[in-house]
Amino acid sequence: METSRRPDQEPAAPSPGGGPAQVPAPPVLAGRTALVTGAASGIGRACAQALAAAGAHVHVVDKAGEAAGELAAEIGGTAWVVDLADPAVVDTLPDGVDVVVNNAGLQHVAPVHAFPPDRFALIQRVMVETPFRILRRTLPGMYERGWGRVVNISSVHGLRASPYKSAYVTAKHALEGLSKVVALEAAEHGVTSNCVSPGYVRTPLVENQIADQARTHGISEEDVVGRVMLERSAIKRLIEPGDVAEAVLWLCGPRTGHITGTSLSMDGGWTAN
């Protein structure tokens, strides 16, 4: 009698009781390698931990050397202590990886007419040029192996604008565009490219913004979160880094091969307004 088992399923060994045994599936990223930028803290750290738990060897890329080394030791990965503000350092990073998570970023808040040009250029360099340079080096290997996953950590600000964040909004919009171009070029090679676009996540960068705005506006940090940051969000709480990491891991999993060129919003309903 024929069975309905799919070709990619292994037959289950019989259990001691005579019924089919549950064969534990291997980790979804067993044997894969991943590179995560800005991996020493916040979203990057959570992504590195999630990918490692799924079986990948993770290259932890960050300029915070001690934190990067501690995380790499914790997850059995490799630390790369570099400052991505220098485009040349990308050529020192490994290029034979299966998963790239472009996460590194920074923020500066000022009106356009008072925005320091050097700061604007720095943000574009770290958040747009560096992802481009990393993908330029890593995509050929993914193409050769016939499989790859690119996940760009964008933001609700890659889809919407806010005042006083010209550099950040510009960079995230550019990252969204780069991700879509890669999706179109890489599709025939078994490589997907997507963005995860969260609202405000409980990271050191956001915590610093909360404290700064509380001092600037003379209000409590709770009011900054509820009345300023989450004003346009239907869900009035910060997103946890681990939730973003789970979305990243899902996009790298075995059932997402047709998901490419998209932006997965995790904004508590912000962009539904």
Side-chain angles (χ1 to χ4, degrees), residues 34-48 51 58-63 71 80 82-84 89-90 93-94 99-105 126-127 130-135 151-153 172 175:
L35 184 148
V36 182
T37 66
S41 65
I43 294 172
R45 179 182 179 88
C47 288
L51 294 170
V58 180
H59 296 286
V60 177
V61 181
D62 206 293
K63 66 178 182 179
L71 176 61
W80 297 82
V82 296
D83 185 352
L84 295 175
V89 304
V90 171
L93 299 176
V99 175
V100 169
V101 180
N102 286 310
N103 168 73
V126 172
M127 296 170 59
T130 289
F132 160 74
R133 286 177 173 270
I134 288 173
L135 294 175
V151 185
N152 300 297
I153 305 301
K172 290 301 188 183
L175 185 63

Side-chain angles (χ1 to χ4, degrees), residues 112-176:
V112 171
H113 67 272
F115 209 102
D118 59 341
R119 195 70 175 171
F120 187 96
L122 171 65
I123 290 173
Q124 308 315 306
R125 200 156 59 242
V126 172
M127 296 170 59
V128 183
E129 183 178 351
T130 289
F132 160 74
R133 286 177 173 270
I134 288 173
L135 294 175
R136 184 175 181 273
R137 295 186 74 241
T138 56
L139 284 173
M142 295 183 195
Y143 293 171
E144 184 178 344
R145 293 185 294 276
W147 192 93
R149 295 291 183 264
V150 176
V151 185
N152 300 297
I153 305 301
S154 181
S155 164
V156 67
H157 284 116
L159 308 171
R160 297 288 189 273
S162 290
Y164 312 118
K165 297 181 179 179
S166 58
Y168 190 86
V169 170
T170 297
K172 290 301 188 183
H173 273 68
L175 185 63
E176 295 268 353

